[in-house]
Amino acid sequence: MRQWRALIVLGTAQFLMVLDTSVMNVSISRLVEDFDTEVTAIQAVITLYALVMAAFMITGGRLGDIYGRRRVFLVGMAVYGTGSAVTAVAPTLGVLALGWSVVEGIGAALVLPNMAALVAESYRGRDRTVAYGVIGGLAGAGIAVGPLLGGWTTTYLTWRLVFAGEVVVVLAVLLCRRAIPERPPAGRLPRLDGVGAVLSAAGLGLGVLGVLQSGTWGWVEPRNAPFTVLGFAPTLFVIASGGVVLALFRAWERRRETRDEDPLVHLSLLGRPPLRSGLLALLSQNLILLGLFFAIPLYLQVVQGFDAFETGLRLLPVSVTMLAASLAGARLGRRAGPRRVVRVALLTLLASVVWLLAAIDPVIDDGPFLGAMALLGAGMGLLASQLGDVVQSGAGEDERSEVGGLQFTAQNLGSALGTAFIGSLLVGALATAFATRVEDDPRISDQARQETGIALEAGIAFVPTDQVRAAAERAGLPPAEVEAVADSYASAQLAGLRAGILAAGGITLASFLVTGNLPAGRSAPGGSAAEKP
């Protein structure tokens, strides 16, 4: 039991990070109410959290190489606890974004890459595979507890208590710090590449910002954009500018390597096919999961009218099967190999998306919906059981923090893009479907169509149908037209949700393309596969 003490402490940190996001996802409706805002504003806060983590994760791993992985891990936990305390007492949406999205995001960026490196440092061989299976299982447990704990607390008490409780857990981890072995860095300590850190953060930030705002600004035709570029919406130009900055980052890193200076990240790592495939699969996994976990609570809370606790209960099958599949997947991977397990996981996810599309109805049928949720969790759990070990097995001992930074950058970039892309696609599809239904409904007058078109040009939000009905009544529409507009919006809501879920299925299908270089057999320490592809 003594050998697993470090895993208990490190796994608690992993559990805490996952718990945090799942609590926010089931509390969307209450957050909208408490801060008197819209769903898109909460979407932006959730996306910013993942984006801050993705932007600074490589830097966090590099700081572990410079100052010691254990020390940076503990500093990160302290920063994270500070952010949780600020979030718990946040009086405004701005303070919530500062405490949760920024301060907690920076803390997580210091914790996660060094946690991955510390797990790899502390265990070898089969113990390491088991350790990463447990880490994946604890991620599943965080998703399991998050919706229920967050839903119950949000419904019957306040969501703020969850973040106050996180401060207590952080203090417990800091008190148990001696359980984590400390290994002094070997050889010359690298220097931090400040320019590279700024370029990577700016490039990732601009790219995700463009995707996030696409639902508001429009992709090509400007909708509600603060400015235009040559008459077009700024979305694609912002995304392209992010790509340009990332290209500059790549050139800067290669320049430092050729001058024998320490880069922020050795881009040659991405030349290792198993490592590259593992990172892309991690990005896809989180893009799919966080995209669905943004869309599904909207269906349950806004369309069906469930409170946060009822939402958590309906997400429970995802959590239970993800935890079980994560723990079982480590043993399965040793027998069948990571590549086969990942492909089975993607097939399972694809089946769950098809099942979920069939279950999205105006009145929920709990049986099919819960079945789709259980299948979704099983697929995610199988992925989680393999990818962390695949990525870390592609690294040498002196590359652990650097690869950990890449690992969690991929994960959180996927999370940010999932929330931003699926969310913007959902809102965009809602607007298009609503406009089409209003135009085609013979019960709606030309004047009402014109007023609806003007309202759509100002932007549309994913709100309960009752709010649309009330707005139509305030506009002076006769009762028959009020009901027609409300019916059109309710139908458009389901169309928007199905579009977002269908996009997640498309991403799942495309993810098969990145599995070819995953190890066909059990990965050996140091990055070689026991069986070549």
Side-chain angles (χ1 to χ4, degrees), residues 298-352:
L298 288 182
Y299 171 65
L300 295 173
Q301 295 183 350
V302 178
V303 177
Q304 299 299 326
F306 295 136
D307 59 34
F309 183 57
E310 291 170 322
T311 299
L313 285 175
R314 284 166 177 81
L315 293 177
L316 181 60
V318 177
S319 313
V320 172
T321 55
M322 183 173 179
L323 175 59
S326 296
L327 296 174
R331 178 177 297 179
L332 184 61
R334 290 197 297 271
R335 295 180 178 178
R339 188 199 303 167
R340 291 190 184 91
V341 175
V342 168
R343 286 177 173 172
V344 168
L346 291 174
L347 286 172
T348 305
L349 288 178
L350 199 59
S352 73

Side-chain angles (χ1 to χ4, degrees), residues 115-382:
M115 179 208 71
L118 289 167
V119 170
E121 277 184 3
S122 302
Y123 303 100
R124 294 286 186 276
R126 172 173 286 192
D127 284 351
R128 180 182 291 171
T129 303
V130 170
Y132 275 109
V134 170
I135 290 292
L138 287 169
I143 293 176
V145 173
L148 283 178
L149 177 61
W152 185 87
T153 307
T154 298
T155 301
Y156 299 108
L157 298 170
T158 171
W159 54 269
R160 298 177 186 274
L161 283 178
V162 177
F163 293 93
E166 287 186 355
V167 177
V168 177
V169 176
V170 167
L171 290 174
V173 169
L174 294 176
L175 289 173
C176 297
R177 62 188 181 277
R178 295 186 183 279
I180 305 172
E182 183 172 15
R183 297 187 180 182
R188 184 184 67 85
L189 296 180
R191 293 185 177 182
L192 181 64
D193 174 15
V195 174
V198 171
L199 289 174
S200 66
L204 292 170
L206 286 169
V208 175
L209 175 65
V211 176
L212 173 64
Q213 293 299 114
S214 61
T216 303
W217 296 347
W219 283 99
V220 179
E221 290 292 327
R223 188 180 302 157
N224 193 25
F227 62 93
T228 60
V229 181
L230 301 176
F232 297 102
T235 303
L236 294 177
F237 294 93
V238 172
I239 294 173
S241 65
V244 170
V245 175
L246 288 176
L248 291 174
F249 167 69
R250 179 182 179 183
W252 173 261
E253 295 300 286
R254 293 199 181 281
R255 178 172 178 265
R256 287 185 66 88
E257 286 193 67
T258 57
R259 293 187 172 189
D260 203 24
E261 298 174 339
D262 295 313
L264 184 69
V265 59
H266 289 85
L267 296 177
S268 58
L269 290 172
L270 300 178
R272 301 175 187 177
L275 176 59
R276 185 174 61 247
S277 289
L279 292 172
L280 290 172
L282 278 170
L283 189 148
S284 296
Q285 173 195 350
N286 282 269
L287 199 160
I288 297 162
L289 179 61
L290 270 295
L292 290 175
F293 261 52
F294 180 77
I296 293 169
L298 288 182
Y299 171 65
L300 295 173
Q301 295 183 350
V302 178
V303 177
Q304 299 299 326
F306 295 136
D307 59 34
F309 183 57
E310 291 170 322
T311 299
L313 285 175
R314 284 166 177 81
L315 293 177
L316 181 60
V318 177
S319 313
V320 172
T321 55
M322 183 173 179
L323 175 59
S326 296
L327 296 174
R331 178 177 297 179
L332 184 61
R334 290 197 297 271
R335 295 180 178 178
R339 188 199 303 167
R340 291 190 184 91
V341 175
V342 168
R343 286 177 173 172
V344 168
L346 291 174
L347 286 172
T348 305
L349 288 178
L350 199 59
S352 73
V353 167
V354 173
W355 196 349
L356 185 58
L357 284 170
I360 297 293
D361 286 323
V363 179
I364 190 171
D365 185 342
D366 279 332
F369 182 82
L370 296 177
M373 292 294 94
L375 200 60
L376 173 64
M380 285 296 169
L382 288 174

